[in-house]
Amino acid sequence: MCRSTARLDGKVALITGANSGIGKETALDLAFRGARVILACRDVEKGEEAATEIRTRVGGAKVEVRELDLADTCSIRAFAQRFLREVDHLHILVNNAGVMMCPYMKTADGFEMQIGVNHLGHFLLTYLLIGLLKRSAPSRIVVVSSLAHNFGWIRFHDLHSQGSYNSGLAYCQSKLANVLFTRELARRLHGSNVTVNSLHPGTVRSELVRHSTAMSLLFAVFSMFLKTPKEGAQTSVYCAVAEELQSISGKHFSDCAPAFVAPQGRSEETARKLWDVSCELLGIEWD
């Protein structure tokens, strides 16, 4: 459990995919600490239901919902444009939303869905909001990755799995991309007072496995051993608020403690190459 008692009065937090699971629990915790929390959700109706629940559980909670579809760069740009127009500060960005082991699908821009949402969508969102994060410093970026990054490789020759598609391997690739993005972004943000760390939330009972019948059955059988969404959110909260992490950046955490990173997740060369490829795919320049 995150032991920090830090208050967030006057702070602004943005959480993607916050309408359910660990995203909603992270939003609830940050709202309880006094933050203004913005839930960025593809399904606005479910987002409003989550916001209503948070307001019911936290008296005076400052919670709002905004539409964001990370599978569509037009939606991401429209979201960021409105956000920058209407919100003056951003102290915590939690890149939480994710897709897991879905059938082969493409985003609106033609990216394979898992690399498109889990990595490229958040890459673009962070790029569009990085100026505000710097102006609001000290600020933090929290990237929800997974233990699955250990089994991932960045397939630069076929990043979008057009040659062959394995939903599990595509998921692992996207989670490795999260770790590499975190490390490279931390290097580029050095000295800015904006930190970025990644995390493994644990194996959590959530809707994330809905696309995989086998995983759904396994989760049902072993449900007593899985974390609740509240338990799974603890490391996200820890990375967002813990006082001892104020100057820590580019690290990976699990169970509110430093965690092992696979060798392929520590490669500076791969991280820089993935950064360049991501910028090219998204049509942006991010030095």
Side-chain angles (χ1 to χ4, degrees), residues 84 88-90 130-137 139 194:
L84 294 171
D88 295 330
H89 297 90
L90 180 58
I130 198 66
L132 183 59
L133 284 157
K134 288 180 177 179
R135 293 192 296 275
S136 305
S139 54
V194 180

Side-chain angles (χ1 to χ4, degrees), residues 94-148:
V94 183
N95 288 337
N96 167 82
V99 180
M100 181 180 182
M101 297 178 67
C102 58
Y104 186 76
M105 294 184 281
K106 291 185 177 182
T107 68
D109 302 272
F111 308 141
E112 185 275 315
M113 186 63 70
Q114 295 186 86
I115 196 75
V117 170
N118 299 352
H119 169 61
L120 292 169
H122 282 120
F123 189 103
L124 179 60
L125 178 67
T126 307
Y127 163 76
L128 294 170
L129 298 179
I130 198 66
L132 183 59
L133 284 157
K134 288 180 177 179
R135 293 192 296 275
S136 305
S139 54
R140 303 186 188 193
I141 303 167
V142 179
V143 179
V144 179
S145 180
S146 170
L147 185 70

Side-chain angles (χ1 to χ4, degrees), residues 4-20:
S4 172
T5 58
R7 293 290 303 172
L8 296 174
D9 304 282
K11 303 296 185 182
V12 179
L14 170 62
I15 306 170
T16 66
N19 59 283
S20 65

Side-chain angles (χ1 to χ4, degrees), residues 56-263:
T56 300
R57 296 173 65 179
V58 180
K62 298 179 285 289
V63 187
E64 57 195 83
V65 179
R66 297 183 180 227
E67 184 176 3
L68 171 65
D69 184 354
L70 288 161
D72 185 348
T73 59
C74 288
S75 174
I76 299 168
R77 289 182 180 277
F79 170 89
Q81 187 176 36
R82 181 189 168 199
F83 190 92
L84 294 171
R85 189 170 62 243
E86 299 176 355
V87 182
D88 295 330
H89 297 90
L90 180 58
H91 304 96
I92 300 169
L93 169 61
V94 183
N95 288 337
N96 167 82
V99 180
M100 181 180 182
M101 297 178 67
C102 58
Y104 186 76
M105 294 184 281
K106 291 185 177 182
T107 68
D109 302 272
F111 308 141
E112 185 275 315
M113 186 63 70
Q114 295 186 86
I115 196 75
V117 170
N118 299 352
H119 169 61
L120 292 169
H122 282 120
F123 189 103
L124 179 60
L125 178 67
T126 307
Y127 163 76
L128 294 170
L129 298 179
I130 198 66
L132 183 59
L133 284 157
K134 288 180 177 179
R135 293 192 296 275
S136 305
S139 54
R140 303 186 188 193
I141 303 167
V142 179
V143 179
V144 179
S145 180
S146 170
L147 185 70
H149 87 270
N150 284 277
F151 310 103
W153 297 93
I154 304 299
R155 303 171 72 237
F156 288 110
H157 67 284
D158 190 17
L159 196 64
H160 302 292
S161 305
Q162 292 174 305
S164 63
Y165 180 68
N166 178 293
S167 62
L169 292 179
Y171 177 71
C172 294
Q173 173 182 241
S174 72
K175 294 292 100 179
L176 174 60
N178 291 154
V179 172
L180 292 166
F181 169 61
T182 297
R183 294 174 73 88
E184 179 63 11
L185 181 57
R187 186 184 70 82
R188 291 167 181 260
L189 289 175
H190 181 72
S192 68
N193 215 9
V194 180
T195 62
V196 53
N197 291 294
S198 61
L199 65 99
H200 167 56
T203 308
V204 182
R205 289 196 293 272
S206 73
E207 298 177 358
L208 199 59
V209 297
R210 64 187 180 276
H211 292 295
S212 172
T213 303
M215 289 294 288
S216 297
L217 287 171
L218 278 172
F219 274 40
V221 172
F222 295 103
S223 62
M224 68 184 75
F225 302 107
L226 303 180
K227 289 185 177 183
T228 64
K230 181 178 180 179
E231 292 168 341
Q234 294 305 303
T235 306
S236 293
V237 173
Y238 174 75
C239 289
V241 307
E243 297 89 339
E244 63 266 32
L245 299 187
Q246 187 171 351
S247 59
I248 302 298
S249 193
K251 304 302 181 183
H252 186 64
F253 294 86
S254 180
D255 289 328
C256 301
F260 174 79
V261 175

